[in-house]
Amino acid sequence: GEPCVRALARSGLRPLWAGSSRSTPGGRCATGLTQRGGAIEMSDLAYPYHFDAAGRTAQTGSAEHVRDLIEQVLFTAPGERVMRPDFGAGLAALVFEPNSDALAATTQVLVQAALQQHLADCLVLQAVDVTHDEGTLTVHVAYRLRSDGSVRTATFTRPGS
């Protein structure tokens, strides 16, 4: 909000998105980027939230932050976030669904749509593979980071209870 912008101005840091007409989904990909002179600094919080060895809020780099964002999109249920009722794919609830080819195909399309909707400014989705085996949901995501063009893969697993 406005107090954050004033605090940044006092610190001599300039948010990279300032003066830009392009917005990101929820400001997530550009929120932690600040520029001091010619150097770009990244200060994204690690997910899940925890403290580092020094007792401070743990932070993560840009590539790890995008992976954290993917996990948040996949396992947040639609309607769970205040003021963002469309956010999330809600995969945690699918752990209890009967295993079938139709469910796997539907889940794959759901994951692709949610990631493209919410993280299109951060990544280019290359492949999604969803497996559901004996109450365990596993999602493999291959993507290319827009920031540096590197290709990454991530695997997310949620066991049923």
Side-chain angles (χ1 to χ4, degrees):
E2 190 62 30
C4 294
V5 173
R6 279 184 264 147
L8 275 172
R10 283 193 305 270
S11 71
L13 297 174
R14 183 181 67 81
L16 290 182
W17 67 91
S20 171
S21 61
R22 195 184 88 167
S23 63
T24 60
R28 295 298 304 150
C29 292
T31 300
L33 293 175
T34 54
Q35 187 171 9
R36 184 186 308 264
I40 296 175
E41 298 174 7
M42 176 61 92
S43 60
D44 290 313
L45 298 180
Y47 176 82
Y49 183 84
H50 63 279
F51 298 104
D52 62 14
R56 295 180 293 223
T57 299
Q59 296 183 355
T60 186
S62 179
E64 292 80 18
H65 180 65
V66 172
R67 186 213 174 276
D68 293 346
L69 290 175
I70 293 170
E71 185 173 5
Q72 290 178 43
V73 169
L74 293 181
F75 296 105
T76 299
E80 184 177 334
R81 290 211 174 167
V82 177
M83 305 299 288
R84 299 272 324 259
D86 64 331
F87 183 85
L91 293 189
L94 297 178
V95 171
F96 303 104
E97 295 295 323
N99 198 0
S100 69
D101 291 336
L103 177 66
T106 302
T107 304
Q108 185 169 348
V109 170
L110 176 72
V111 168
Q112 288 174 341
L115 291 175
Q116 289 172 346
Q117 177 184 359
H118 299 293
L119 300 179
D121 286 346
C122 299
L123 58 86
V124 175
L125 196 58
Q126 294 184 326
V128 173
D129 182 41
V130 179
T131 58
H132 184 269
D133 186 35
E134 297 185 24
T136 300
L137 181 70
T138 304
V139 179
H140 303 280
V141 180
Y143 58 96
R144 183 177 48 83
L145 294 175
R146 289 194 186 273
S147 61
D148 64 6
S150 64
V151 175
R152 307 265 177 167
T153 60
T155 301
F156 306 93
T157 302
R158 286 294 187 270
S161 48

mmCIF file of all heavy atoms in Angstrom, residues 23 62 68 92 97 99 121 137 157:
data_model
loop_
_atom_site.group_PDB
_atom_site.id
_atom_site.type_symbol
_atom_site.label_atom_id
_atom_site.label_comp_id
_atom_site.label_asym_id
_atom_site.label_seq_id
_atom_site.Cartn_x
_atom_site.Cartn_y
_atom_site.Cartn_z
ATOM 1 N N SER A 23 0.977 -4.791 -15.225
ATOM 2 C CA SER A 23 0.803 -5.303 -13.872
ATOM 3 C C SER A 23 1.006 -6.807 -13.873
ATOM 4 O O SER A 23 0.828 -7.471 -14.875
ATOM 5 C CB SER A 23 -0.583 -4.963 -13.343
ATOM 6 O OG SER A 23 -1.565 -5.591 -14.135
ATOM 7 N N SER A 62 14.874 -15.662 -6.655
ATOM 8 C CA SER A 62 13.817 -15.515 -7.647
ATOM 9 C C SER A 62 13.295 -16.859 -8.158
ATOM 10 O O SER A 62 12.094 -17.078 -8.236
ATOM 11 C CB SER A 62 14.334 -14.684 -8.818
ATOM 12 O OG SER A 62 13.344 -14.547 -9.790
ATOM 13 N N ASP A 68 7.770 -21.632 -5.265
ATOM 14 C CA ASP A 68 6.861 -21.455 -4.129
ATOM 15 C C ASP A 68 5.498 -20.955 -4.594
ATOM 16 O O ASP A 68 4.458 -21.384 -4.078
ATOM 17 C CB ASP A 68 7.443 -20.480 -3.106
ATOM 18 C CG ASP A 68 8.688 -21.010 -2.412
ATOM 19 O OD1 ASP A 68 8.974 -22.227 -2.503
ATOM 20 O OD2 ASP A 68 9.392 -20.197 -1.785
ATOM 21 N N ALA A 92 -5.636 -30.169 -3.283
ATOM 22 C CA ALA A 92 -5.644 -30.947 -2.036
ATOM 23 C C ALA A 92 -6.940 -31.730 -1.879
ATOM 24 O O ALA A 92 -6.941 -32.855 -1.366
ATOM 25 C CB ALA A 92 -5.430 -30.026 -0.841
ATOM 26 N N GLU A 97 -10.618 -38.181 -4.220
ATOM 27 C CA GLU A 97 -11.453 -38.581 -5.347
ATOM 28 C C GLU A 97 -11.024 -39.961 -5.849
ATOM 29 O O GLU A 97 -9.860 -40.332 -5.731
ATOM 30 C CB GLU A 97 -11.341 -37.567 -6.484
ATOM 31 C CG GLU A 97 -11.893 -36.209 -6.137
ATOM 32 C CD GLU A 97 -13.380 -36.226 -5.894
ATOM 33 O OE1 GLU A 97 -14.108 -36.969 -6.581
ATOM 34 O OE2 GLU A 97 -13.828 -35.505 -4.983
ATOM 35 N N ASN A 99 -9.652 -42.755 -8.197
ATOM 36 C CA ASN A 99 -8.625 -42.702 -9.222
ATOM 37 C C ASN A 99 -9.200 -43.153 -10.564
ATOM 38 O O ASN A 99 -9.789 -44.219 -10.654
ATOM 39 C CB ASN A 99 -7.461 -43.604 -8.816
ATOM 40 C CG ASN A 99 -6.209 -43.288 -9.584
ATOM 41 O OD1 ASN A 99 -6.187 -42.396 -10.416
ATOM 42 N ND2 ASN A 99 -5.150 -44.029 -9.312
ATOM 43 N N ASP A 121 2.958 -14.137 -15.996
ATOM 44 C CA ASP A 121 4.016 -13.133 -16.055
ATOM 45 C C ASP A 121 5.339 -13.645 -15.494
ATOM 46 O O ASP A 121 6.364 -13.010 -15.692
ATOM 47 C CB ASP A 121 3.613 -11.875 -15.289
ATOM 48 C CG ASP A 121 2.577 -11.061 -16.034
ATOM 49 O OD1 ASP A 121 2.378 -11.315 -17.233
ATOM 50 O OD2 ASP A 121 1.966 -10.171 -15.419
ATOM 51 N N LEU A 137 -1.347 -37.677 -4.294
ATOM 52 C CA LEU A 137 -1.426 -36.860 -5.496
ATOM 53 C C LEU A 137 -0.038 -36.308 -5.791
ATOM 54 O O LEU A 137 0.593 -35.702 -4.928
ATOM 55 C CB LEU A 137 -2.409 -35.706 -5.275
ATOM 56 C CG LEU A 137 -2.633 -34.771 -6.445
ATOM 57 C CD1 LEU A 137 -3.403 -35.495 -7.546
ATOM 58 C CD2 LEU A 137 -3.394 -33.548 -5.992
ATOM 59 N N THR A 157 3.953 -33.218 -4.034
ATOM 60 C CA THR A 157 3.237 -34.413 -3.605
ATOM 61 C C THR A 157 2.420 -34.086 -2.355
ATOM 62 O O THR A 157 2.919 -33.432 -1.450
ATOM 63 C CB THR A 157 4.234 -35.552 -3.270
ATOM 64 O OG1 THR A 157 5.019 -35.796 -4.437
ATOM 65 C CG2 THR A 157 3.514 -36.815 -2.869
#
